């Protein structure tokens, strides 16, 4: 029995409609990190929810790897990813040969605009009027939804969190958990407005409302669009992990399947999944394995009840190949598990939107300047404490801390640091690198702060230090430590 026969006949719930188109909401280059962070921090719920959810995710990850040699597994993961990226052209070629032999049409998009053009072109050629999408960060990178909607194609995000984000005109706040920053009450309000009646404010009822409408969308869509967690070179297959089953329906129910996948997602062999899958799912959701692991290998064969009639894979470069062989190549090892976001003390306060583009947290602070350039994205590499927690948890041992430092250096070397900041650090470096001047500056500091402080601390707001002293005391240095 085919998927359509098994789940078919689901009527569209009364009042259920496609989410209205919302404009793209990237703010990189139009607002500062500070302004965006301030907005999240002004929402007390968001701060509590983000910290709570990320704590929970870290605890699950720790429990998952408690009884295995985690470091050895991470070493193996690093080796596989390093080998794949060091030989990327060869493995990509192998993957393309195998995928085409399987009947997949392979496209190559050099940048975001070309990816949008290719996918919109496929939709025109295939007479596609509606698509269902499973979660894809690559499609966020290229702002695919608005491009398709502009071409007259109705788009339904089918991951529940992504569906909420789409209907709210929002952006995902986390690689794995897109609505980490939203409340159940907000979802209740949204779905009730879509339904035209007050729905029960319970998770099960709200999920059932979305599910009924999305089920109808799956069965009537002309195409399914997905991302891909891995491209397996030896077989020409695309692997997708999901927990809601939407990835499997997206890739098997509609007559056309289109996958948009970054070129760096290639791995040599199926056997590599024995290492990479537990690392991805263990660091993403703390699971042994996700509920669904879908491997697609081309269009439906004769006598198969399910599967698309045609499959297209769009390989996205968009800045990736420029990193090969350079000092930032290791950023391409990333398997998008989101673990570095969960442990980052900055992300845990400000959430994903503060980073202004697709990716938040340490990996966002690395990828944003690399993919968007120093001019537009360089600022977010400053938004880290360099504590190294991200290095300690990364399943493929990407040295995020070193990459962030190098990006900061590059920002200074290419003249993207404001003049006042450059002067201040030049002066600070000149003074503190000379012991006599260092001691003199400490004495002046101690004397001035001693005059305005009480009990060894200044708690009043100080001109020039207002943003520091309004939230915490400034300690007066003691004469002897
Ligand atoms: S950098 Fe490492 S921890 Fe962060 S998302 Fe990528 S693989 Fe996961």
């Amino acid at each position: 029995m085919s998927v359509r026969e098994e789940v078919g006949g689901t009527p569209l719930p009364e009042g259920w409609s496609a989410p209205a188109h919302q404009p793209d909401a990237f703010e990189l280059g139009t607002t500062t990190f500070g302004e965006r962070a301030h907005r999240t921090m002004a929402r007390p719920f968001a701060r509590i929810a983000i910290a709570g959810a990320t704590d929970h995710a870290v605890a699950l990850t720790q429990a998952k790897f408690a009884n295995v040699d985690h470091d050895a597994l991470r070493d193996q993961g690093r080796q596989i990813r390093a080998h794949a990226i060091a030989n990327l052209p060869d493995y990509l070629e192998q993957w393309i040969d195998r995928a085409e032999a399987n009947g997949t049409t392979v496209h190559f998009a050099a940048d975001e605009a070309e990816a949008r053009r290719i996918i919109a072109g496929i939709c025109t050629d295939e007479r596609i009027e509606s698509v269902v999408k499973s979660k894809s960060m690559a499609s966020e990178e290229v702002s695919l939804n608005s491009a398709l909607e502009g071409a007259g194609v109705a788009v339904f995000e089918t991951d529940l969190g992504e569906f909420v984000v789409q209907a709210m005109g929002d952006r995902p706040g986390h690689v794995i958990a897109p609505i980490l920053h939203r409340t159940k009450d907000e979802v209740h309000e949204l779905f009730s407005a879509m339904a035209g009646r007050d729905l029960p404010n319970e998770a099960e009822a709200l999920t059932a409302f979305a599910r009924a409408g999305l089920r109808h969308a799956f069965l009537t869509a002309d195409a399914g669009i997905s991302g891909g967690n891995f491209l397996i070179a030896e077989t020409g297959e695309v692997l997708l992990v999901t927990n809601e089953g939407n990835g499997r329906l997206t890739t098997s129910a509609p007559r056309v399947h289109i996958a948009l996948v970054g070129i760096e997602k290639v791995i040599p062999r199926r056997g590599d999944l024995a290492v990479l899958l537990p690392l991805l799912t263990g660091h993403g959701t703390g699971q042994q394995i996700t509920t669904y692991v879908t491997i697609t290998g081309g269009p439906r064969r004769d006598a198969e009840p399910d599967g698309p009639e045609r499959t297209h894979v769009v390989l996205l470069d968009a800045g990736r190949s420029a990193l090969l062989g350079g000092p930032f190549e290791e950023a391409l090892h990333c398997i998008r598990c989101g673990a570095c976001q969960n442990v980052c003390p900055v992300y845990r306060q400000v959430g994903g939107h503060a980073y202004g583009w697709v990716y938040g947290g340490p990996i966002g602070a690395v990828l944003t300047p690399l993919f968007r350039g120093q001019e537009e994205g360089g600022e977010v590499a400053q938004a880290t404490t360099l504590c190294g927690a991200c290095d300690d948890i990364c399943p493929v041992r990407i040295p995020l801390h070193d990459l962030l430092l190098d990006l900061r250096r590059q920002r200074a070397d290419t003249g993207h640091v404001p003049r006042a900041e450059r002067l201040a650090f030049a002066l600070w470096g000149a003074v503190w690198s000379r012991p006599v001047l260092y001691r003199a500056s400490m004495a002046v500091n101690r004397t001035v702060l001693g005059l305005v402080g009480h009990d060894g601390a200044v708690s009043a707001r100080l001109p020039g230090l207002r943003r520091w002293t309004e939230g915490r005391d400034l300690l007066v240095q003691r004469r002897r430590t």
Side-chain angles (χ1 to χ4, degrees), residues 175 280 283 331 333-341 362-363 390 393-398 400:
V175 182
L280 173 60
H283 286 79
H333 297 180
C334 176
I335 56 173
R336 305 285 193 273
C337 70
C340 57
Q341 300 183 322
I363 189 61
C390 48
I393 199 156
C394 178
V396 288
R397 291 193 184 278
I398 298 174
L400 291 153

